[in-house]
């Protein structure tokens, strides 16, 4: 493992290379370095020289299992969807003044014309293309393309790492928005991993005054108390039932945590399921019915990058504290395995190294 700096360099269009390096998942458990042609730009796209890529649990799952639900790695795939970088070139319909700008990338391409897109729910677009979701390549590469309006300029005060982690922050912000968290809210979060910590910080930024978080790892609970949570509970020994919170956000995917968390919600409260776990979970239906609890899943996010950038720039959310491992592009496979090490929260890959 190396500890590279995370600053990307700027290339004028005339200086762009014809090829790039990429770390490619050939099949389950098999990563290789390859030299690939530089991506070609559509008129409305920008070419981003990737500075930093966060490793997500979905990347690890594809590496270890070769699939997530109906999405199967049946051909070579570039992983990575949490990224930042610098615009190296632009399509013919994009202002060339954007070249050189540091950006955070929202890694998806909705169709913009379907019923869901027109209703503002572009995350539910049936034809959406999302980085590192088969068959769409991701960002463990030196360059990627994205529609210009999904590459958001970031201020100098926001690090490349924090800009990359706007993607998981967006999950936390979307969960809090769906949970209708507001000033004075009382919130319970299950799971003190990266998403749980991020959700706690997001809830605090939304004005929540009591933020309970549960986990079975004492070191993660202690970290959560330092970075967003107001109360930490060990899921093995501490009961959450009867807390009477306004909202419960599950970031664990553990069936027992989901059931217990629902019973911690007061009347007319909200339950938001974020964590990936079993496809089917037994729920306390009568409890949900008798208290008119509103339950929803979360599938990515919409329109969260501007708020995320502002919260980071204002110091209301700190993402840099999550980075516990830094890896070169050639060490991508090591980065995917880093989460199993004690004390690891978030690994970051630097494709320029």
């Amino acid at each position: 493992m190396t500890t590279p700096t995370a600053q990307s360099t700027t290339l004028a269009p005339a200086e762009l290379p014809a090829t790039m390096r990429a770390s490619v998942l050939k099949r389950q458990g098999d990563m290789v370095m390859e030299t690939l042609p530089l991506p070609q730009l559509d008129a409305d796209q920008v070419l981003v020289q990737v500075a930093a890529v966060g490793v997500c649990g979905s990347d690890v799952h594809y590496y270890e299992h070769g699939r997530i639900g109906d999405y199967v790695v049946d051909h070579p795939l570039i992983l990575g969807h949490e990224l930042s970088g610098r615009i190296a070139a632009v399509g013919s319909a994009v202002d060339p003044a954007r070249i050189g700008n540091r950006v955070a990338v929202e890694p998806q391409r909705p169709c913009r014309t379907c019923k869901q897109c027109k209703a503002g729910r572009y995350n539910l677009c049936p034809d959406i293309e999302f980085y590192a979701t088969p068959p769409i390549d991701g960002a463990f590469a030196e360059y990627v393309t994205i529609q210009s309006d999904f590459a958001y300029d970031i201020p100098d005060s926001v690090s490349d790492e924090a800009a990359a982690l706007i993607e998981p922050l967006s999950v936390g912000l979307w969960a809090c928005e769906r949970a209708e968290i507001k000033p004075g809210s009382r919130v319970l979060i299950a799971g003190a991993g990266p998403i749980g910590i991020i959700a706690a910080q997001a809830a605090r930024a939304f004005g929540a005054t009591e933020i309970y978080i549960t986990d079975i790892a004492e070191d993660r609970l202690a970290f959560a108390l330092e970075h967003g949570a107001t109360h930490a509970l060990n899921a093995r020994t501490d009961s959450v039932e009867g807390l009477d919170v306004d909202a419960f956000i599950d970031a664990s995917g553990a069936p027992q945590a989901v059931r217990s968390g629902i019973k911690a919600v007061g009347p007319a409260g909200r339950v938001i399921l974020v964590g990936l776990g079993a496809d089917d979970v037994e729920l306390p239906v009568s409890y949900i019915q008798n208290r008119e609890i509103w339950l929803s899943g979360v599938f990515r996010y919409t329109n969260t990058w501007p708020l995320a950038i502002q919260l980071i720039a204002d110091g209301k959310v700190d993402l840099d504290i999550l980075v516990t491992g830094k890896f070169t592009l050639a060490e991508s496979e090591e980065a995917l395995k880093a989460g199993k090490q004690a004390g690891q929260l978030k690994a970051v890959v630097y494709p320029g190294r």
Side-chain angles (χ1 to χ4, degrees):
M1 184 177 76
T2 61
T3 55
T5 57
Q7 295 301 317
S8 53
T9 58
T10 305
L11 293 175
E15 299 173 329
L16 290 174
T19 61
M20 68 174 185
R21 297 180 307 137
S23 181
V24 181
L25 178 64
K26 301 294 285 188
R27 61 189 62 83
Q28 180 181 341
D30 182 17
M31 299 281 291
V32 298
M33 288 291 295
E34 292 190 357
T35 299
L36 302 174
L38 202 68
Q40 297 300 301
L41 284 168
D42 291 342
D44 63 343
Q45 290 184 320
V46 296
L47 180 71
V48 177
Q49 185 178 18
V50 182
V53 189
V55 174
C56 176
S58 64
D59 297 317
V60 176
H61 203 87
Y62 280 126
Y63 170 72
E64 292 183 344
H65 303 286
R67 67 184 302 153
I68 297 177
D70 294 333
Y71 296 105
V72 181
V73 180
D74 53 11
H75 72 286
L77 180 72
I78 300 173
L79 297 173
H81 61 266
E82 304 174 359
L83 72 145
S84 65
R86 194 182 294 271
I87 294 178
V90 300
S92 59
V94 180
D95 185 351
R98 296 209 70 194
I99 295 174
N101 289 5
R102 294 177 63 240
V103 294
V105 173
E106 181 173 352
Q108 52 187 351
R109 182 178 186 171
C111 77
R112 304 178 188 254
T113 60
C114 72
K115 178 179 179 181
Q116 298 302 326
C117 284
K118 287 186 174 182
R121 300 184 293 263
Y122 64 81
N123 60 317
L124 301 180
C125 170
D127 297 316
I128 199 164
E129 297 177 355
F130 193 87
Y131 275 24
T133 299
I136 307 303
D137 282 329
F140 282 0
E142 292 180 301
Y143 294 89
V144 298
T145 59
I146 194 72
Q147 275 53 47
S148 179
D149 61 329
F150 275 26
Y152 297 84
D153 292 343
I154 54 174
D156 291 340
S157 61
V158 176
S159 70
D160 286 338
E161 292 90 342
L165 299 185
I166 286 175
E167 197 280 338
L169 172 58
S170 288
V171 175
L173 293 175
W174 191 241
C176 287
E177 183 173 330
R178 300 283 285 168
E180 294 191 346
I181 293 173
K182 55 186 180 294
S185 290
R186 302 175 68 245
V187 183
L188 169 65
I189 299 167
I195 292 296
I197 300 294
I198 285 171
Q201 291 198 50
R204 182 181 61 186
F206 275 47
T209 52
E210 289 185 70
I211 303 169
Y212 296 83
I213 195 163
T214 66
D215 205 288
I216 59 174
E218 289 292 344
D219 58 335
R220 289 197 168 192
L221 289 173
F223 188 85
L225 283 175
E226 295 174 359
H227 301 288
T230 60
H231 301 80
L233 302 172
N234 190 306
R236 285 196 175 111
T237 57
D238 301 321
S239 174
V240 299
E241 295 184 19
L243 281 178
D244 204 39
V245 294
D246 301 301
F248 165 54
I249 297 173
D250 177 68
S252 73
Q256 184 55 47
V258 172
R259 289 191 292 268
S260 298
I262 290 173
K263 291 189 175 181
V265 178
R270 295 198 160 217
V271 173
I272 308 297
L273 304 181
V274 181
L276 292 175
D279 289 338
D280 296 295
V281 176
E282 182 179 334
L283 300 178
V285 175
S286 62
Y287 187 96
I288 294 169
Q289 289 175 323
N290 294 342
R291 290 160 181 78
E292 291 195 351
I293 291 171
W294 189 91
L295 186 150
S296 174
V298 159
F299 188 68
R300 298 169 186 160
Y301 32 68
T302 62
N303 300 311
T304 50
W305 259 252
L307 173 59
I309 292 169
Q310 191 64 54
L311 290 175
I312 298 168
D314 291 346
K316 294 181 179 179
V317 170
D318 186 354
L319 300 178
D320 291 304
I321 50 93
L322 296 173
V323 179
T324 51
K326 299 183 178 183
F327 301 84
T328 67
L329 185 61
E331 297 169 330
S332 297
E333 191 165 13
E334 184 180 344
L336 290 166
K337 298 176 181 178
K340 298 184 184 301
Q341 300 172 10
Q344 286 286 346
L345 277 175
K346 202 72 178 176
V348 174
V349 171
Y350 299 90
R353 300 287 172 171

